[in-house]
Amino acid sequence: MDCLFCKIIKGEIPSKKVYENEFVYAFEDIAPQAPFHVLIIPKEHIASSADITADNSILVAKIFEAAAQIAKENDLKDGFRIVTNSGKVGCQTVFHMHFHMLSGRQLEGQMG
Ligand code: 5GP
Ligand code: ZN
């Protein structure tokens, strides 16, 4: 399967690792939208959040556990935002489910 983020997990494409455990990998976004912009992904290939089922939903919990740990390790004590885009309407561009974790500046409104 030709998946960019699977290649990043395998180290075939370089990335700046922020956090890793048995279930998830987190790395700096190549085009940051905020001073802190990390992508948190499951190591298992899941195309998007529309593909979450009872069999794999534990990985969503693992991603949020990782986010809390990443926040502690990076001193994000004033907060952060987690966003996931799904499908065409959601403007998803990489079809390996990922959660954007944004911080380091005051984010605007509810989404931006
Ligand atoms: P989406 O638009 O699918 O929600 O987000 C995809 C994200 O992946 C974008 O923020 C984009 O900057 C990031 N991205 C795309 N290609 C690469 C890459 O090769 N390396 C890294 N670190 N991030 C990437
Ligand atoms: Zn993948």
Side-chain angles (χ1 to χ4, degrees):
M1 187 176 14
D2 197 29
C3 170
L4 175 66
F5 287 176
C6 282
K7 287 179 181 164
I8 282 179
I9 291 163
K10 285 187 247 169
E12 293 171 8
I13 292 173
S15 65
K16 291 186 181 166
K17 180 167 90 172
V18 172
Y19 180 84
E20 181 175 18
N21 67 25
E22 183 185 350
F23 302 101
V24 310
Y25 185 73
F27 56 104
E28 291 180 11
D29 195 292
I30 205 167
Q33 304 298 307
F36 185 94
H37 186 172
V38 163
L39 300 173
I40 311 174
I41 64 178
K43 287 188 170 175
E44 176 183 326
H45 180 88
I46 299 170
S48 87
S49 54
D51 298 302
I52 294 298
T53 67
D55 289 336
N56 62 19
S57 61
I58 185 69
L59 293 172
V60 178
K62 294 292 180 188
I63 282 164
F64 276 79
E65 276 184 50
Q69 185 62 28
I70 290 166
K72 287 189 187 80
E73 290 177 4
N74 291 274
D75 201 25
L76 305 182
K77 55 184 178 305
D78 291 335
F80 55 87
R81 178 174 291 163
I82 292 178
V83 176
T84 189
N85 298 321
S86 185
K88 179 174 177 289
V89 165
C91 297
Q92 184 179 6
T93 60
V94 179
F95 285 83
H96 180 128
M97 182 177 73
H98 50 280
F99 290 71
H100 299 259
M101 184 173 183
L102 298 154
S103 187
R105 67 167 166 86
Q106 180 59 56
L107 301 170
E108 292 141 31
Q110 296 300 311
M111 304 300 278

